[in-house]
């Protein structure tokens, strides 16, 4: 596995692959890798000759009060996982490589960014789009894979990028209790983990009820009450969009998001 620490090192390798007409698949991450990230890399490998992963904890998508400093970082562990997974290249840029002219940007996300996450994290999608566009400019991928775990993020990126790269969505990887894997799960205490595992069950129940003909407002209201009864401290939102139920909740200092499709056929 090649490790590129800056744009110049990356460009040299990318140039060679482009000259050989290799199709480059790309999976951007913020590290603290889990099986969800690795499943996206396998999907990228299905659609490309070369798989490039990046690890960069992007400061511009965190608000000052959010967990940028505390965000889990484990580069050594990540490199082992990527190398075992057969990734061709990992890109580990420094902040100055991504934002050489500073962090100011005038990116305006499109309609998919309206509501949901934006109501609670107003600068989030501008930060995500900025870093994704900069990473794409460095890596020059033919395809890029994003997780359905962050479904609104996937939609915001998909609507803003005109191919290449072609944007592909990867399904949500879950633990044996259905909890969506997330780097932030590392923040949860044992008691919180028990509660966290009810999030997917409650969202899936609402999706199932709506699919079965229940009034969606009533089903979403019931789901919100169930989340609070289960022990979640706050529900930022639980809403229906894109044929899915999407939710963001708080457990102590940890914010969790998840979503479930409302299947049209059983
Ligand atoms: P992150 O490192 O959290 O920024 O995530 C990097 C990519 O992995 C994003 O496209 C996420 O949507 C995706 N991802 C995170 N968790 C999961 C999961 N449990 N299943 C599938 N994809 C995921």
């Amino acid at each position: 596995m090649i490790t590129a620490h800056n744009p110049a090192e990356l460009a040299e390798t990318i140039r060679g692959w482009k000259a050989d007409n290799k199709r480059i698949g790309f999976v951007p991450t913020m590290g603290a890798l889990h099986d969800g990230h690795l499943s996206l890399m396998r999907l990228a490998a299905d659609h490309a000759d070369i798989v490039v992963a990046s690890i960069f904890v992007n400061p511009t998508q965190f608000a000052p009060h959010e967990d940028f400093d505390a965000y889990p970082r484990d580069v050594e562990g990540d490199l082992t996982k990527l190398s075992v997974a057969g990734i061709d290249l990992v890109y580990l840029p420094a902040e100055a490589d991504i934002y050489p002219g500073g962090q100011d940007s005038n990116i305006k996300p499109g309609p998919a960014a309206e509501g949901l996450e934006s109501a609670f994290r107003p600068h989030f999608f501008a930060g995500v789009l900025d870093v994704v566009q900069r990473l794409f400019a460095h890596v020059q991928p033919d395809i890029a894979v994003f997780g359905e775990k962050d479904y609104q993020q996937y939609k915001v990126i998909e609507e803003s990028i005109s191919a290449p790269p072609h944007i592909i969505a990867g399904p949500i990887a879950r633990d044996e209790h259905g909890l969506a894997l997330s780097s932030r799960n590392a923040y949860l205490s044992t008691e919180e983990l028990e509660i966290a595992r009810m999030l997917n069950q409650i969202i899936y129940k609402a999706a199932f009820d709506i699919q079965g003909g229940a009034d969606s407002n009533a089903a979403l209201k019931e789901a919100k009450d169930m989340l609070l009864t289960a022990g979640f401290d706050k529900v930022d939102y639980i809403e229906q969009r894109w044929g899915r139920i999407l939710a963001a909740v708080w457990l102590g200092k940890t914010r969790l998001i998840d979503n479930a499709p409302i299947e049209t056929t059983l």
Side-chain angles (χ1 to χ4, degrees), residues 155-251:
K155 296 299 281 185
V156 169
I157 292 167
E158 189 200 35
E159 80 175 359
S160 77
I161 305 290
S162 40
H166 176 58
I167 306 295
I168 296 173
I172 303 175
R174 299 179 177 280
D175 76 3
E176 66 277 19
H177 302 274
L179 173 64
L181 301 181
S182 166
S183 306
R184 288 190 169 99
N185 291 350
Y187 298 149
L188 300 173
S189 68
T190 314
E191 294 76 26
E192 288 173 335
L193 193 58
E194 289 285 308
I195 299 168
R197 286 176 169 152
M198 295 200 259
L199 174 59
N200 72 93
Q201 296 180 25
I202 293 170
I203 296 177
Y204 266 91
K205 180 184 183 305
F208 190 78
D209 288 349
I210 293 170
Q211 176 186 316
D215 173 72
S216 63
N217 285 335
L220 293 171
K221 164 85 176 63
E222 184 191 39
K224 182 174 179 180
D225 292 345
M226 286 174 77
L227 287 165
L228 295 171
T229 306
F232 292 96
D233 295 299
K234 187 167 172 265
V235 178
D236 274 355
Y237 60 82
I238 176 155
E239 288 181 32
Q240 180 176 347
R241 200 189 292 182
W242 299 302
R244 291 188 169 245
I245 306 295
L246 304 100
V249 298
W250 285 90
L251 252 184

Side-chain angles (χ1 to χ4, degrees), residues 10-45:
L10 176 71
E12 198 182 313
T13 308
I14 297 287
R15 214 177 294 125
W17 283 330
K18 294 275 176 196
D20 290 342
N21 276 323
K22 299 287 190 199
R23 214 172 135 72
I24 299 174
F26 179 42
V27 183
T29 82
M30 299 207 299
L33 300 180
H34 50 65
D35 284 344
H37 296 113
L38 297 176
S39 73
L40 302 187
M41 302 198 193
R42 287 192 290 274
L43 189 57

Side-chain angles (χ1 to χ4, degrees), residues 114-184:
E114 282 163 24
L116 301 171
E117 286 297 298
S118 293
F120 299 89
R121 307 182 74 192
H123 306 293
F124 177 69
F125 289 120
V128 167
L129 277 186
D130 196 7
V131 76
V132 163
Q133 289 176 7
R134 289 165 189 264
L135 287 167
F136 284 177
H138 292 198
V139 176
Q140 298 171 54
D142 297 283
I143 63 123
V145 183
F146 292 86
E148 290 182 346
K149 158 85 183 345
D150 302 274
Y151 200 82
Q152 189 181 16
Q153 170 176 283
Y154 153 65
K155 296 299 281 185
V156 169
I157 292 167
E158 189 200 35
E159 80 175 359
S160 77
I161 305 290
S162 40
H166 176 58
I167 306 295
I168 296 173
I172 303 175
R174 299 179 177 280
D175 76 3
E176 66 277 19
H177 302 274
L179 173 64
L181 301 181
S182 166
S183 306
R184 288 190 169 99

